[in-house]
Amino acid sequence: MFRLEDGIAALQAGELVVYPTETFYAIGADAFSSIALRRLFQVKGREPGRPVGLIAADTAMAFSVAREIPIDARRLADAFWPGPLTLVLPARDSIAPELAGSDGVGVRVSPNPVARALSAGIGRPITATSANLSGAVPASTLEQARSGLGEKVKVYFEGGKLTAAEPSTVVAVNQTGWKMVRLGAISERQIAMALAGDALK
């Protein structure tokens, strides 16, 4: 069994960590380490041009990756964080191009304590791409993650069998409004109601 300190040290050294979230197991890398991101893309076999979402320890850290924070983003964060909602926000220039898409950079605050503690431990967001080879089914157990990734990942955290039926909902938000990027654990109706001031948690 790995300790939290082992995962934080691995992330600080540019290594990869598999950890549980509220949806599936994820591969964590320091989002501000070019070495770590290169290793992540090599291990996952992920083609360039597909952005990678992030997990942050808290709302302030999550919003630190954004160039601007629209009021709708604040409303959705208040309603659903910590939780399975990824907000895609206009990215700061310091965000690596491979992490951002045309709408910006995706980030969420997970309710899973291990996910948040790893991010808090290095003081920066970590990547939250699913712990599987690109194109494979997301890992619901640590065994599934290990079978695909093996020793290419430095530290594995056991979180039991994760029972989420769906990934996080992804919503892009900017100053002109919002759009649904991926339906997931939070419905479009819940998003609309939260923005209208009547959130259904």
Side-chain angles (χ1 to χ4, degrees), residues 119-132:
S119 175
I122 67 168
R124 293 182 295 281
I126 59 175
T127 59
T129 185
S130 54
N132 54 271

Side-chain angles (χ1 to χ4, degrees), residues 66-85:
R67 187 176 67 248
E68 58 190 43
I69 304 154
I71 186 63
D72 282 351
R74 294 188 185 278
R75 288 178 178 139
L76 291 173
D78 287 344
F80 298 112
W81 282 355
L85 174 67

Side-chain angles (χ1 to χ4, degrees), residues 8-131:
I8 292 169
L11 290 168
Q12 290 171 331
E15 298 285 352
L16 304 181
V17 171
V18 162
Y19 64 96
T21 75
E22 75 281 15
T23 55
F24 301 104
Y25 280 88
I27 307 176
D30 180 351
F32 289 85
S33 166
S34 58
I35 293 172
L37 292 179
R38 193 177 314 118
R39 181 171 282 134
L40 172 67
F41 278 83
Q42 288 173 344
V43 166
K44 197 166 163 70
R46 191 181 180 102
E47 62 273 20
R50 291 185 62 199
V52 169
L54 307 178
I55 276 179
D58 53 37
T59 299
M61 183 189 288
F63 283 162
S64 72
V65 304
R67 187 176 67 248
E68 58 190 43
I69 304 154
I71 186 63
D72 282 351
R74 294 188 185 278
R75 288 178 178 139
L76 291 173
D78 287 344
F80 298 112
W81 282 355
L85 174 67
T86 297
L87 293 177
V88 180
L89 304 167
R92 285 186 182 274
D93 292 339
S94 57
I95 299 300
E98 56 264 48
L99 296 179
S102 57
D103 293 313
V105 59
V107 64
R108 78 183 192 268
V109 179
S110 174
N112 187 285
V114 175
R116 287 206 312 275
L118 289 171
S119 175
I122 67 168
R124 293 182 295 281
I126 59 175
T127 59
T129 185
S130 54

Side-chain angles (χ1 to χ4, degrees), residues 12 58 66 69 151 154 158 201:
Q12 290 171 331
D58 53 37
I69 304 154
E151 295 182 2
K154 187 79 171 178
E158 177 62 75
K201 284 285 240 184

